[in-house]
Amino acid sequence: MGQNIMGDKLNRSNVQRIVKAKAEGSNYIGVGDNLLDFGAEKSFLKEDGCGKIFSLNVVNAAADTDIKLALFPGNFAEGSAYLDGCSLIAEGTVAEKLTCNGTPESIDAFLAYLKANPTRLRAIKVKADNESQLDFPIIYRNVNPFTGKVDQKRIPAQYQRSGDNNTKVIELTDINWILGANNIILTTIGKGRSVVISFVFGASLDTEKGLQKKADEALANASALGFSF
């Protein structure tokens, strides 16, 4: 997956870095941070084990047309110049001959959560019905109103390795992106192609959960101090 905050593993060098950071007064690794949601884990050290996976099942039934699709449009409306003319992902029929659905919940829920709670994307898994789909790039775009846009591109076909048992299933592990209101992911779905694109997420900046955690902590402290409420 993408780089863990302390590298791929807790080797001797990384342990020394942690000790040095503590000696300098910085020992933050995310544990106990009320604003962060790590899913099944508790810190950035094991972020890739969060267990937060969302899959987009996309079918282009058009026999002669490739269709450009925003897998994640951020807060940008259809027609925005930042979306490069892409259709916007949605549950059901997105464009003529193009249908999408989400797992484990609807795409609507997926979009709403990420727009409200910026989340780190750790890996992307692509399972296509034909290898030709893997030649279409996946583009990550970060848009800043002061500095403009910055793109990163991944071409799934370039991640194929000799000896792979299934060359139509690719995992992009050099991902260290954040999906939020000002971030976009674009791709193209080839004519006649079916593809499942799974996003593997890490930590989320979950303000709703954070607010509740802070309220619970405040009430517990008040009770311990003898206040009635």
Side-chain angles (χ1 to χ4, degrees):
M1 306 234 174
Q3 288 185 342
N4 285 315
I5 194 167
M6 287 298 163
D8 294 332
K9 57 185 177 180
L10 286 177
N11 56 31
R12 181 180 179 85
S13 175
N14 284 333
V15 170
Q16 290 174 339
R17 288 167 60 192
I18 294 172
V19 171
K20 183 175 184 293
K22 286 185 176 181
E24 294 172 350
S26 174
N27 58 3
Y28 181 80
I29 57 175
V31 173
D33 190 324
N34 285 339
L35 292 177
L36 296 180
D37 175 31
F38 288 101
E41 292 297 339
K42 300 183 185 304
S43 78
F44 285 107
L45 293 182
K46 296 185 178 180
E47 190 179 11
D48 292 337
C50 286
K52 297 157 63 175
I53 300 174
F54 193 91
S55 296
L56 302 171
N57 305 282
V58 186
V59 178
N60 179 3
D64 56 1
T65 305
D66 300 333
I67 299 178
K68 296 168 65 178
L69 180 64
L71 298 173
F72 182 73
N75 244 2
F76 298 93
E78 191 163 9
S80 168
Y82 295 112
L83 295 174
D84 294 352
C86 289
S87 297
L88 270 58
I89 194 80
E91 191 76 18
T93 301
V94 173
E96 186 176 359
K97 302 291 186 178
L98 184 70
T99 57
C100 308
N101 63 82
T103 303
E105 295 292 335
S106 73
I107 293 173
D108 293 346
F110 166 72
L111 296 177
Y113 182 85
L114 291 178
K115 290 177 184 180
N117 305 287
T119 299
R120 280 164 53 85
L121 181 60
R122 306 292 293 152
I124 300 175
K125 298 179 181 180
V126 181
K127 181 179 181 182
D129 67 336
N130 188 283
E131 288 187 40
S132 63
Q133 175 60 39
L134 304 178
D135 291 325
F136 291 105
I138 295 173
I139 298 170
Y140 171 75
R141 176 167 294 164
N142 182 58
V143 182
N144 186 302
F146 308 108
T147 58
K149 66 178 183 180
V150 177
D151 287 355
Q152 296 183 45
K153 181 170 68 174
R154 302 289 189 272
I155 300 174
Q158 295 179 352
Y159 291 76
Q160 291 176 321
R161 296 173 298 182
S162 60
D164 283 349
N165 293 327
N166 191 343
T167 56
K168 293 181 287 187
V169 179
I170 301 295
E171 184 171 10
L172 315 181
T173 57
D174 59 338
I175 302 294
N176 195 22
W177 301 341
I178 292 178
L179 295 191
N182 63 318
N183 309 114
I184 296 169
I185 294 185
L186 309 174
T187 195
T188 299
I189 308 301
K191 49 184 173 289
R193 298 278 64 84
S194 297
V195 60
V196 178
I197 300 172
S198 297
F199 294 131
V200 182
F201 290 105
S204 299
L205 186 61
D206 194 324
T207 52
E208 181 180 345
K209 281 189 176 180
L211 177 60
Q212 188 59 53
K213 289 177 182 177
K214 287 180 178 296
D216 292 343
E217 183 179 357
L219 291 173
N221 287 340
S223 179
L225 292 170
F227 290 99
S228 59
F229 45 87

